[in-house]
């Protein structure tokens, strides 16, 4: 089984990229996690789309299609979803009736330096993903507040409780993705 990991932050040292690294170490047997960097995606523009998806967009959509499920780690910027992540979802939601997100299992997690642990960003991301028909996993939730206490200076997860939550989320995502594959 192949999962596509997406960090909603472009910063190399972000806690959300660190969450994806931690997830890679906690994957169930037989599951691999491949990360996709959103850095090259242009801003969504219907005129550009009408002329044909730019190469970075086509690669992103293909990566989603090839994955059995998505694991998204999102920060929270100004009480909401980061623009780079919303832009990626906007591209992936197209075309409306043939989006690569349709019936794709998606798990969301997030880390922030504040006390909210990305709750608002995750709610917004959930809504944005549901519109094109993604199967967003409701539980378990992984909200990591005060991320600076959960990772060491090298970006390694040191909070066992968060590791357990990530493991449970990955197990659930793998079960849902396996069920979707069997039903197809």
């Amino acid at each position: 089984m192949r999962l596509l990991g997406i960090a909603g932050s472009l910063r190399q040292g972000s806690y959300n990229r660190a969450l994806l690294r931690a997830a890679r170490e906690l994957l169930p047997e037989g599951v691999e996690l491949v990360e996709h960097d959103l850095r090259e995606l242009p801003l969504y523009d219907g005129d550009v789309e009408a002329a044909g998806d730019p190469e970075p967009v086509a690669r992103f959509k293909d990566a989603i299609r090839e994955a059995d499920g998505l694991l998204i780690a999102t920060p929270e910027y100004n009480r909401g979803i980061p623009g780079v992540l919303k832009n990626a979802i906007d591209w992936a939601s197209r075309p409306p009736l043939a989006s690569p997100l349709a019936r794709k299992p998606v798990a969301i997690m997030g880390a922030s330096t504040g006390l909210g642990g990305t709750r608002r960003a995750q709610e917004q991301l959930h809504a944005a993903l549901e519109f094109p028909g993604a199967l967003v996993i409701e539980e378990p939730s992984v909200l990591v507040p005060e991320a600076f206490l959960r990772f060491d200076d090298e970006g390694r997860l040191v909070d066992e409780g968060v590791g357990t939550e990530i493991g449970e989320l990955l197990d659930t995502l793998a079960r849902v993705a396996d069920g979707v594959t069997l039903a197809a």
Side-chain angles (χ1 to χ4, degrees):
M1 177 176 295
R2 172 183 236 166
L3 302 178
L4 183 67
I6 300 169
S9 172
L10 298 179
R11 198 170 60 80
Q12 288 301 318
S14 83
Y15 291 120
N16 289 283
R17 286 183 182 276
L19 276 178
L20 288 178
R21 284 192 304 275
R24 189 176 296 113
E25 297 174 11
L26 299 165
L27 290 168
E29 181 133 356
V31 178
E32 71 171 321
L33 179 67
V34 177
E35 289 183 50
H36 190 91
D37 194 329
L38 303 179
R39 189 175 310 275
E40 294 181 13
L41 290 179
L43 293 175
Y44 176 77
D45 180 331
D47 292 335
V48 171
E49 179 191 21
D53 286 343
E55 183 58 33
V57 172
R59 279 195 313 270
F60 179 53
K61 288 181 178 182
D62 286 344
I64 293 171
R65 282 186 194 96
E66 292 168 7
D68 296 297
L70 305 181
L71 177 63
I72 301 176
T74 183
E76 185 169 294
Y77 295 165
N78 300 315
R79 297 187 177 174
I81 185 175
V84 67
L85 187 52
K86 178 62 167 75
N87 182 61
I89 300 304
D90 289 344
W91 275 113
S93 70
R94 311 289 300 167
L97 299 176
S99 165
L101 292 170
R103 305 235 356 106
K104 187 68 64 173
V106 181
I108 302 170
M109 59 183 179
S112 73
T113 56
L115 297 175
T118 72
R119 182 173 312 282
R120 290 182 185 106
Q122 288 192 36
E123 289 170 358
Q124 290 175 6
L125 182 55
H126 191 283
L129 288 163
E130 278 186 331
F131 187 77
L135 305 173
V136 183
I137 293 171
E138 299 282 342
E139 294 290 330
S141 62
V142 179
L143 302 162
V144 183
E146 298 178 312
F148 52 89
L149 299 173
R150 319 287 177 214
F151 295 89
D152 67 16
D153 291 339
E154 281 79 44
R156 289 183 301 255
L157 183 65
V158 294
D159 186 306
E160 290 181 23
V162 172
T164 299
E165 291 173 357
I166 294 170
E168 291 171 357
L169 182 65
L170 290 167
D171 288 343
T172 302
L173 177 58
R175 270 196 322 277
V176 171
D178 193 43
V180 168
T181 302
L182 291 175

